[in-house]
Amino acid sequence: MGFYVSIMIKLFSKVSYVILLLCLLSCTCFTSTEAYDALDPNGNVTVKWDIMSWSPDGYVAVVTIYNFQKYRHIQAPGWSLGWTWAKKEIIWTMIGGQATDQGDCSRFKGNIPHCCKKSPTVVDLLPGTPYNQQIANCCKGGVLSSWVQDPTTAASSFQLSVGAAGTTNKTVRVPKNFTLNAPGPGYTCGPANIVKPSKFMTADKRRVTQALMTWNVTCTYSQFLAQKSPTCCVSLSSFYNDTVVPCPRCACGCQSNITQPGSCVELDSPYLASVVSRSGTNSYTPLVQCTRHMCPIRVHWHVKVNYKEYWRVKITITNFNYRMNYSNWNLVAQHPNFDNLTQIFSFNYESLNPYATINDTAMLWGIKFYNDLLMQASPVGNVQSEVLFRKDKSTFTFDKGWAFPRRIYFNGDNCVMPPPDAYPWLPNASSRHAVSLLFILATSLSALVLHAHA
Ligand SMILES: *[C@@H]1O[C@H](CO)[C@@H](O)[C@H](O)[C@H]1NC(C)=O
Ligand SMILES: *[C@@H]1O[C@H](CO)[C@@H](O)[C@H](O)[C@H]1NC(C)=O
Ligand SMILES: *[C@@H]1O[C@H](CO)[C@@H](O)[C@H](O)[C@H]1NC(C)=O
Ligand SMILES: *[C@@H]1O[C@H](CO)[C@@H](O)[C@H](O)[C@H]1NC(C)=O
Ligand SMILES: *[C@@H]1O[C@H](CO)[C@@H](O)[C@H](O)[C@H]1NC(C)=O
Ligand SMILES: *[C@@H]1O[C@H](CO)[C@@H](O)[C@H](O)[C@H]1NC(C)=O
Ligand SMILES: *[C@@H]1O[C@H](CO)[C@@H](O)[C@H](O)[C@H]1NC(C)=O
Ligand SMILES: *[C@@H]1O[C@H](CO)[C@@H](O)[C@H](O)[C@H]1NC(C)=O
Ligand SMILES: *[C@@H]1O[C@H](CO)[C@@H](O)[C@H](O)[C@H]1NC(C)=O
Ligand SMILES: *[C@@H]1O[C@H](CO)[C@@H](O)[C@H](O)[C@H]1NC(C)=O
């Protein structure tokens, strides 16, 4: 009787494992429409405002923007930060940043403030700013890397001296209605909260100083708020089936020659060279090559080789956008076998582990000075890598599209996947299935026999 029970338990644990897997898939495969991102639940941009000294009519503060998001960076043309003053404050001077609009300073004589607007908008200065206008962490054109890629360049600071403001921690008022564009919409900022004053270590690490007063603002991103159409799609292929499953048609938009003439450029267009040369600078609206998917970015996942203990995938990212060199790009991929990645070639890799129990998500990005720049659509326009996975005998299969990714993000945006029923099949999938069922039956039988003998 004992061996029956043990087999029942084994079968039951297999079944419950499959159910668990299905549950995990179904609850992690939704596309996020709210500020909550399942793969980076705590991801946020924090704005920290440190008052460093009081002045006769206000204070001097250092404002630092931290990008705490694991895989969403802030790319050119960079962040812009806005707020509304609580009273009639003005900005006398700024270092390491500037207000985009001075506003009406006509009530001032002699010393003219940097900005008199009730709701100023501040941007970073550009690289190459004279030293006397710089402070630490400034002047990167508003570009911040993602936290996982490089925490040392994920923060940006500017200093401002505020007038017509409170001059003690009792009379000063925190600004309201913070807004962050990074670039374009997508971020929502909470209220400023007074927090414990920041502490600073001197360069020789022998003395700690602290801010007179500190407040924090937390901003979170939502792809829904950004109201962007998708920016990337996924195509699939495998060594065991000649079919290449392309990106879904119209994944990022449709070619319409009536409503939006010139919404894309044909690869063999005689105007290609002139269009491309006119779009010499990075611009926020993509100019894409005409494809059935119309996406600026395509990620191709090719199941390349099957070894006894391992299997190998080739990942190719192609840029169809003539207007953008994607610097410091990153990819997030979810596949159950990322818990046993053996080797990755030509990309950096870090395991993302939002829930302690599931270890199936990886962040990949380019190697500095080698392929961290994904060039515009011509002439090169792609980067590639190969990934070697170790097979886990209990889950590994080429059946039912298991070898393909569950979800892909490019630069933090969810990529459009082909429908699961279009995934490349194993040749004669049904007969294979029968074989594997037979195999399970046979092994259970032999187990029975063994138990019976014992
Ligand atoms: C923002 O991110 C930081 C770093 O991950 C985290 O410590 C903090 O709790 C987050 N803030 C919020 C409000 O989620
Ligand atoms: C303001 O400063 C006083 C000491 O001058 C301190 O006791 C108090 O905690 C400070 N309040 C805030 C909100 O920082
Ligand atoms: C700040 O935001 C609140 C809520 O969004 C709004 O009611 C208020 O008018 C805004 N204040 C200013 C000064 O813009
Ligand atoms: C305020 O922001 C700083 C810098 O990100 C962080 O170290 C600190 O924990 C934050 N404080 C609160 C209460 O969120
Ligand atoms: C462009 O317009 C022509 C004629 O109106 C039409 O036949 C063709 O299908 C259109 N192409 C696309 C991609 O919509
Ligand atoms: C991309 O980089 C190449 C080489 O540095 C440059 O020639 C091209 O103008 C850049 N394209 C854009 C859109 O910035
Ligand atoms: C997740 O998998 C990676 C790659 O195998 C490994 O380096 C990491 O330690 C794993 N993390 C956990 C929590 O198991
Ligand atoms: C990775 O594979 C090895 C060998 O098959 C196995 O012992 C180990 O438990 C696996 N690790 C994970 C996290 O599944
Ligand atoms: C390859 O996969 C496709 C589904 O994408 C399927 O229609 C086709 O029959 C498969 N080819 C073979 C040889 O099994
Ligand atoms: C695959 O199935 C077809 C019919 O379903 C059959 O004719 C063919 O011989 C099978 N091929 C293999 C390799 O089993």
Side-chain angles (χ1 to χ4, degrees):
M1 203 61 207
F3 57 82
Y4 271 120
V5 174
S6 79
I7 281 170
M8 288 304 283
I9 288 174
K10 269 187 194 153
L11 265 178
F12 180 73
S13 64
K14 266 250 163 64
V15 167
S16 58
Y17 182 73
V18 168
I19 290 173
L20 181 75
L21 203 75
L22 282 177
C23 289
L24 288 179
L25 278 181
S26 60
C27 48
T28 53
C29 277
F30 61 85
T31 53
S32 62
T33 52
E34 40 194 281
Y36 178 77
D37 184 339
L39 295 181
D40 186 10
N42 293 319
N44 67 74
V45 174
T46 297
V47 180
K48 184 165 67 91
W49 194 299
D50 289 313
I51 296 186
M52 309 304 288
S53 61
W54 302 110
S55 62
D57 72 336
Y59 59 86
V60 175
V62 172
V63 178
T64 307
I65 301 172
Y66 295 90
N67 181 16
F68 285 132
Q69 301 176 104
K70 282 180 174 167
Y71 48 77
R72 190 167 288 111
H73 64 190
I74 296 180
Q75 60 189 9
W79 56 262
S80 61
L81 181 70
W83 63 84
T84 302
W85 291 116
K87 295 192 292 187
K88 289 199 160 11
E89 291 90 337
I90 47 103
I91 303 173
W92 281 119
T93 56
M94 284 188 77
I95 305 177
Q98 62 184 3
T100 53
D101 191 351
Q102 184 181 28
D104 177 7
C105 293
S106 58
R107 66 191 159 108
F108 291 89
K109 295 193 174 62
N111 217 356
I112 305 293
H114 177 81
C115 175
C116 303
K117 283 188 77 93
K118 176 85 176 161
S119 301
T121 299
V122 169
V123 295
D124 197 5
L125 297 179
L126 297 176
T129 295
Y131 283 112
N132 62 0
Q133 289 163 40
Q134 291 192 15
I135 66 164
N137 286 328
C138 85
C139 313
K140 295 178 287 197
V143 172
L144 295 183
S145 68
S146 70
W147 195 257
V148 168
Q149 272 171 277
D150 187 3
T152 63
T153 54
S156 193
S157 299
F158 58 87
Q159 178 185 303
L160 74 177
S161 111
V162 181
T167 53
T168 68
N169 72 4
K170 301 269 184 313
T171 54
V172 76
R173 291 286 168 266
V174 300
K176 296 181 172 38
N177 287 13
F178 278 87
T179 55
L180 178 71
N181 281 341
Y187 287 87
T188 326
C189 299
N193 293 314
I194 295 172
V195 297
K196 275 218 310 252
S198 308
K199 300 206 163 161
F200 309 97
M201 184 80 78
T202 56
D204 62 4
K205 293 196 165 46
R206 297 181 59 202
R207 177 177 146 79
V208 173
T209 58
Q210 71 178 55
L212 302 175
M213 191 177 177
T214 298
W215 56 76
N216 271 13
V217 179
T218 305
C219 306
T220 52
Y221 179 83
S222 131
Q223 195 169 345
F224 177 69
L225 265 184
Q227 289 193 329
K228 275 200 295 191
S229 51
T231 52
C232 61
C233 62
V234 179
S235 58
L236 309 167
S237 62
S238 64
F239 67 85
Y240 54 77
N241 184 323
D242 290 339
T243 313
V244 175
V245 180
C247 281
R249 183 178 294 282
C250 296
C252 304
C254 289
Q255 289 184 32
S256 72
N257 44 16
I258 304 145
T259 50
Q260 276 177 295
S263 62
C264 66
V265 183
E266 298 287 351
L267 188 55
D268 55 4
S269 158
Y271 309 110
L272 179 60
S274 74
V275 173
V276 171
S277 70
R278 257 188 286 131
S279 59
T281 51
N282 279 346
S283 157
Y284 196 53
T285 35
L287 175 69
V288 296
Q289 203 178 93
C290 297
T291 53
R292 64 200 294 278
H293 53 78
M294 292 286 281
C295 291
I297 294 290
R298 181 186 68 199
V299 180
H300 185 77
W301 178 287
H302 175 65
V303 178
K304 191 177 172 187
V305 193
N306 183 23
Y307 306 103
K308 193 155 171 282
E309 303 267 325
Y310 301 92
W311 60 294
R312 184 186 280 259
V313 166
K314 179 172 181 178
I315 299 173
T316 308
I317 309 173
T318 309
N319 185 356
F320 290 97
N321 185 356
Y322 288 109
R323 282 211 184 118
M324 183 77 104
N325 290 324
Y326 292 87
S327 55
N328 293 315
W329 59 269
N330 70 60
L331 198 72
V332 171
Q334 190 178 25
H335 187 280
N337 221 152
F338 272 118
D339 65 350
N340 238 341
L341 177 133
T342 303
Q343 199 174 2
I344 181 155
F345 303 89
S346 19
F347 286 175
N348 288 304
Y349 159 82
E350 171 116 2
S351 169
L352 292 184
N353 209 5
Y355 313 100
T357 48
I358 331 173
N359 188 3
D360 65 352
T361 307
M363 178 167 159
L364 314 174
W365 68 98
I367 292 169
K368 208 158 189 59
F369 304 125
Y370 174 57
N371 58 5
D372 62 331
L373 186 68
L374 175 52
M375 294 292 258
Q376 64 179 72
S378 56
V380 187
N382 70 64
V383 289
Q384 26 184 273
S385 163
E386 296 201 356
V387 185
L388 193 62
F389 293 111
R390 188 188 179 95
K391 291 181 186 173
D392 177 351
K393 296 280 187 306
S394 65
T395 53
F396 177 82
T397 171
F398 282 127
D399 210 358
K400 300 209 165 58
W402 187 88
F404 296 105
R406 307 299 184 260
R407 157 150 83 163
I408 300 260
Y409 286 5
F410 179 80
N411 280 352
D413 283 334
N414 211 338
C415 299
V416 181
M417 303 281 298
D421 58 358
Y423 284 20
W425 295 347
L426 277 173
N428 280 0
S430 51
S431 62
R432 274 295 170 94
H433 196 65
V435 166
S436 62
L437 262 181
L438 262 178
F439 179 75
I440 289 173
L441 264 178
T443 43
S444 339
L445 268 178
S446 63
L448 267 174
V449 170
L450 276 177
H451 272 278
H453 272 281

